Amino acid sequence: MPQPRSGSRFLYAPFDATHIRIEASERVMEERWSALEYRLKRIEEMLDQIEKRVWLTVYGIVAVILAQGVASILSAISAP
């Protein structure tokens, strides 16, 4: 009859270093991917803010040009 083994079962379990390296690599890649997604999201948010500022500037310039046009028309009408 075989002698029962004593101690931890991990002492006798096979150790597959390749499998563990692959799992560690997969976890690292998942973390890198989530960090990349986070950065891309932040870049998109900043681009949206820049786009809003650009449109606000364009509308402001158009408003100034229209106001000057209306002022020149009003001054031409009121001049004798």
Side-chain angles (χ1 to χ4, degrees), residues 8-63:
S8 174
R9 66 182 172 96
F10 297 109
L11 291 174
Y12 305 105
F15 183 73
D16 188 11
T18 305
H19 180 67
I20 291 173
R21 279 192 206 123
I22 291 171
E23 285 180 355
S25 179
E26 288 175 351
R27 286 193 305 265
V28 168
M29 292 306 295
E30 287 175 9
E31 286 298 319
R32 286 183 179 173
W33 188 258
S34 65
L36 179 63
E37 287 178 340
Y38 173 77
R39 283 189 227 128
L40 286 174
K41 183 179 176 185
R42 292 288 299 144
I43 289 171
E44 287 179 6
E45 290 171 357
M46 290 189 301
L47 285 174
D48 287 341
Q49 291 175 355
I50 290 172
E51 183 181 10
K52 289 176 186 177
R53 290 177 185 168
V54 167
W55 280 113
L56 185 62
T57 303
V58 167
Y59 289 141
I61 292 170
V62 169

